[in-house]
């Protein structure tokens, strides 16, 4: 779970609507702001929350159900439920006729259409601690998606989604096929549903996005144009206060450059299962409480760059199996919003072109504690987020490997909006404040203070290991103050600004790192 509770759906945390509140899970791109959900205006605020029929697991931002945050729109679009629009009198939006298209007289067979266009513009000065050239960069990316969700009665559905993306700008870098892609299939799956033993159950088979994990472990790959998607099978069962989920996937291979040629990458697997228990509802200080306890196992099997480990002078290629055993307790207790989770990461690292292996012995601890001042204008939230990711010893060639990894794109705004740092050998202490000055705007300020968890290991960024090891001593890395301004212009159009500045520690600056500035504008349209 993300730390702070603030905005929801299409990219946000949440707030109050129909007695709900929620937790930040994604960047605030298609949001229903807290005040808007409690006191909507006709022009700006969503009129309803389109979560599925999951009972208590629809609390917070809807993500306790296992399908990601959902408000008017979902982070993944097939999580939305538009059956209320069977009644044409409830339609109040120009796009509502596309959300429930009946295909038979009884309206038991219907189609829901969806779409998105997203434009991102960056300015970066000395990106990735000055290790990425050029020194100044102005990237620009555009993606478009269209989706169709066919429901055949109460027990069968087929969902398909197409995507394309392009990238331009000046001084660009990193434009691989997750940024530039001709039209291809982002998702295509069949779901069979039934009520079994008092549970709402389902099995999804095919290509799909997956969000049933803490967002600091697995998310959607938000920065590039192509979100992370998986091929395989997933099953779930949801009772009134207990739910279970199990899955076995291989990652979608986006390397082919021809149209409709994306296939399966069998060198990258995700598998596991989890259970969640919803504590009985309660009140604290006159406000509702919704708390969830999760137990999970998440397995990774991967090779290539994400699997490489640091050495004293470079990196060691290989493949790795990572077994993640974790728990978290999270939710809202009156005005207190919190999350506490821990993960033990075992498994093995196998050297490339060798039978040599090393055991993995790593861990992560993640927490957030905040207080929301409900009676104050703008409902400010004041809190602190702490994250500890274990490091190893890059000089060791034998013994266990102690560096924790989270290779499948944790939510970018959770730890560091710049992605200059990632969840390996890191300690982050991040005070933060959220404020909603109007129904359509949100401000968030966060100041991560960063250290190495182990001074004998490298500093890690997204998709890279920084080359500071020989000259860098000590643990302090620096500070990374960052701010977000989200403006929901209409129900369908949002504009988000992220600004950050990295201040390097003296030690890492002497080793070759640079201070840097990061700005990102995200303009997004959804229906």
């Amino acid at each position: 779970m993300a730390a702070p509770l603030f905005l929801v759906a299409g990219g946000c945390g949440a707030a109050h609507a129909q007695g709900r509140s929620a937790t930040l899970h994604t960047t605030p791109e298609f949001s229903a702001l807290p005040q808007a959900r409690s006191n909507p205006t006709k022009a700006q605020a969503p009129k309803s929350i389109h979560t599925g029929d999951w009972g208590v697991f629809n609390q917070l931002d809807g993500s306790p159900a296992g399908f990601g945050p959902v408000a008017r729109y979902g982070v993944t679009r097939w999580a939305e439920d538009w059956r209320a629009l069977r009644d044409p009198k409830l339609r109040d939006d120009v796009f509502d006729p596309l959300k429930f298209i009946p295909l038979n007289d009884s309206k038991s067979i219907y189609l829901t259409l969806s779409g998105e266009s997203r434009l991102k513009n960056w300015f970066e000065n000395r990106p990735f601690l000055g290790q990425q050239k050029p020194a100044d960069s102005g990237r620009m990316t555009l993606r478009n998606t269209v989706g169709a969700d066919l429901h055949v009665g109460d027990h069968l559905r087929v969902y398909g989604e197409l995507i394309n993306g392009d990238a331009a700008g000046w001084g660009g870098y990193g434009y691989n096929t997750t940024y530039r892609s001709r039209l291809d299939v982002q998702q295509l799956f069949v779901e069979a549903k039934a009520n079994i033993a008092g549970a709402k159950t389902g099995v999804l088979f095919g290509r799909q996005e997956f969000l049933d994990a803490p967002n600091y472990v697995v998310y959607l790959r938000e920065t590039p144009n192509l979100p992370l998607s998986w091929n395989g099978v997933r099953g779930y069962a949801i009772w009134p206060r207990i739910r279970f989920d199990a899955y076995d996937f291989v990652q979608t291979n986006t390397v082919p450059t021809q149209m409709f040629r994306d296939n399966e990458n069998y060198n990258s697997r995700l598998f596991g299962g989890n259970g969640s228990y919803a504590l009985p509802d309660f009140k604290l200080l006159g406000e509702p409480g919704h708390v969830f306890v999760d137990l999970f196992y998440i397995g990774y099997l991967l090779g290539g760059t994400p699997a490489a480990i640091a050495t004293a002078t470079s990196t060691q290629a290989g493949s790795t199996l990572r077994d993640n055993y974790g728990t978290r307790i999270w939710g809202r207790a009156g005005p207190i919003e919190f999350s506490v989770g821990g993960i033990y990461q075992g498994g093995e690292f196998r050297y490339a072109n060798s039978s040599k292996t090393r055991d993995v012995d790593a861990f992560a601890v993640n927490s957030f504690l905040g207080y929301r001042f409900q009676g104050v204008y703008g409902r400010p939230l004041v809190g602190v987020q702490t994250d500890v990711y274990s490091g190893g010893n890059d000089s060791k060639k034998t013994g266990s490997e102690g560096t924790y990894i989270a290779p499948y794109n944790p939510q970018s705004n959770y730890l560091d909006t710049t992605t200059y740092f990632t969840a390996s050998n890191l300690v982050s202490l991040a005070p933060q404040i959220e404020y909603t000055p109007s129904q359509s705007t949100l401000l968030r300020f966060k100041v991560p203070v960063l250290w190495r968890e182990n001074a004998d290991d490298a500093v890690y960024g997204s998709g890279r290991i920084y080359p500071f090891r020989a000259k860098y001593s000590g643990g302090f890395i620096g500070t990374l103050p960052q701010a977000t301004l989200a403006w929901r212009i209409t129900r369908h159009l949002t504009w988000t600004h992220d600004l950050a500045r990295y201040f390097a520690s003296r030690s890492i600056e002497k080793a070759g790192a640079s201070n840097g500035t990061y700005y990102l504008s995200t303009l997004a349209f959804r229906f």
Side-chain angles (χ1 to χ4, degrees):
M1 157 183 138
L5 305 176
F6 76 117
L7 266 149
V8 223
C12 306
H16 294 289
Q18 305 168 356
R20 296 171 27 146
S21 67
T23 305
L24 167 70
H25 276 256
T26 106
T27 52
E29 286 179 8
F30 308 103
S31 54
L33 296 168
Q35 291 179 336
R37 296 190 68 183
S38 55
N39 299 294
T41 66
K42 289 184 179 180
Q44 294 177 311
K47 190 172 182 177
S48 58
I49 307 302
H50 295 285
T51 51
D53 186 17
W54 311 123
V56 69
F57 291 101
N58 281 337
Q59 296 294 341
L60 306 181
D61 60 355
S63 61
F67 307 109
V70 182
R72 181 174 182 86
Y73 302 120
V75 171
T76 189
R77 305 303 303 275
W78 52 264
E80 303 163 12
D81 185 347
W82 293 88
R83 286 177 295 175
L85 295 186
R86 274 195 175 99
D87 183 355
K89 295 179 182 178
L90 297 178
R91 298 176 180 178
D92 67 346
D93 186 272
V94 66
F95 290 101
D96 279 355
L98 301 179
K99 310 313 287 185
F100 189 92
I101 304 172
L103 301 179
N104 64 345
D105 292 339
S106 67
K107 300 182 181 180
S108 62
I109 303 175
Y110 68 93
L111 184 68
T112 295
L113 302 179
S114 60
E116 175 204 76
S117 290
R118 188 190 76 174
L119 176 67
K120 284 181 174 283
N121 287 276
W122 284 266
F123 169 75
E124 294 174 274
N125 169 252
R126 300 190 177 277
F128 287 92
L129 284 58
Q131 301 305 298
Q132 178 65 58
K133 303 302 179 185
D136 294 305
S137 173
R139 294 180 292 157
M140 180 179 70
T141 63
L142 174 67
R143 81 171 181 207
N144 301 285
T145 63
V146 290
D149 196 357
L150 175 64
H151 294 257
V152 183
D154 294 330
H155 303 294
L156 183 66
R157 67 109 73 103
V158 179
Y159 180 80
E161 185 175 275
L162 302 179
I163 191 168
N164 79 319
D166 207 348
W170 53 271
Y173 63 86
Y175 288 159
N176 57 26
T177 54
T178 65
Y179 285 89
R180 289 175 170 154
S181 173
R182 302 183 69 184
L183 191 65
D184 219 308
V185 176
Q186 171 66 14
Q187 301 187 77
L188 180 60
F189 65 84
V190 176
E191 180 182 11
K193 299 183 285 185
N195 291 321
I196 300 175
K200 296 170 182 175
T201 66
V203 176
L204 293 77
F205 180 78
R207 183 171 297 175
Q208 57 197 272
E209 294 172 353
F210 177 75
L211 290 170
D212 194 10
N215 69 327
Y216 48 78
V217 179
V218 175
Y219 211 69
L220 280 189
R221 191 168 59 198
E222 301 161 287
T223 301
N225 280 327
L226 268 62
L228 194 60
S229 69
W230 302 92
N231 304 269
V233 62
R234 172 187 181 182
Y236 63 87
I238 302 177
W239 284 269
R241 289 202 172 271
I242 297 174
R243 72 174 185 88
F244 296 100
D245 201 334
Y247 49 91
D248 189 2
F249 296 127
V250 296
Q251 189 177 344
T252 300
N253 176 25
T254 63
V255 171
T257 57
Q258 301 93 337
M259 191 179 299
F260 294 113
R261 292 295 180 88
D262 288 358
N263 49 36
E264 295 77 36
N265 176 9
Y266 289 96
N267 290 320
S268 184
R269 287 187 55 201
L270 177 72
F271 50 91
N274 58 63
S276 183
Y277 172 63
L279 271 61
D281 297 343
F282 62 93
K283 285 192 174 183
L284 180 66
L285 301 177
E287 297 182 31
H290 305 288
V291 176
F292 299 87
V293 180
D294 299 343
L295 292 172
F296 56 86
Y297 164 76
I298 301 173
Y300 314 142
L301 184 61
L302 66 153
T305 300
I309 61 174
T311 66
T313 58
S314 183
T315 61
Q316 172 62 56
S319 61
T320 189
L321 167 68
R322 299 290 175 121
D323 296 310
N324 298 274
Y325 304 92
T327 185
R328 63 172 173 168
I329 178 169
W330 60 293
R332 178 178 180 222
I336 300 169
E337 302 177 4
F338 69 95
S339 172
V340 180
I343 296 173
Y344 171 73
Q345 188 174 84
E348 71 171 19
F349 176 82
R350 181 176 295 273
Y351 285 71
N353 304 314
S354 171
S355 61
K356 179 182 177 181
T357 63
R358 291 171 62 184
D359 291 338
V360 172
D361 185 12
F363 67 88
V365 179
N366 310 88
S367 70
F368 174 80
L369 179 64
Y371 188 94
R372 189 175 293 280
F373 295 87
Q374 300 284 10
V376 177
Y377 178 77
R379 300 176 64 249
L381 172 69
V382 179
V384 62
Q385 178 179 323
T386 57
D387 299 278
V388 180
Y389 303 100
S390 67
N393 185 328
D394 58 21
S395 297
K396 289 177 60 176
K397 297 182 180 180
T398 59
S400 62
E401 167 59 33
T403 305
Y404 176 90
I405 64 170
Y408 293 134
N409 306 99
Q411 193 267 326
S412 58
N413 268 21
Y414 173 79
L415 182 65
D416 165 27
T417 191
T418 69
T419 71
Y420 295 169
F421 299 96
T422 195
S424 295
N425 191 34
L426 189 70
V427 176
S428 173
L429 177 67
Q432 52 193 279
I433 299 174
E434 290 176 6
Y435 184 68
T436 53
S438 74
Q439 291 183 341
S440 59
T441 55
L442 177 136
L443 289 168
R444 183 169 71 123
F445 301 95
K446 181 177 179 180
V447 186
V449 184
L450 307 172
W451 295 265
R452 287 192 288 182
E453 194 277 331
N454 189 335
D456 292 324
D457 199 2
V459 178
Y460 295 79
S462 179
R464 67 186 66 208
I465 302 174
Y466 289 110
F468 305 133
R469 296 184 283 288
K471 300 178 181 180
Y472 175 37
S473 61
F476 184 48
I477 296 173
T479 59
L480 188 58
Q482 45 201 263
T484 295
L485 168 62
W487 177 27
R488 182 173 35 74
I489 302 169
T490 71
R491 289 182 177 182
H492 307 284
L493 185 65
T494 59
W495 194 10
T496 304
H497 305 266
D498 291 293
L499 178 65
R501 173 72 178 177
Y502 172 58
F503 296 95
S505 70
R506 289 185 179 180
S507 180
I508 199 171
E509 193 170 16
K510 289 179 180 178
S514 300
N515 299 333
T517 300
Y518 176 97
Y519 169 73
L520 169 62
S521 164
T522 304
L523 185 65
F525 173 81
R526 261 191 173 190
F527 72 86

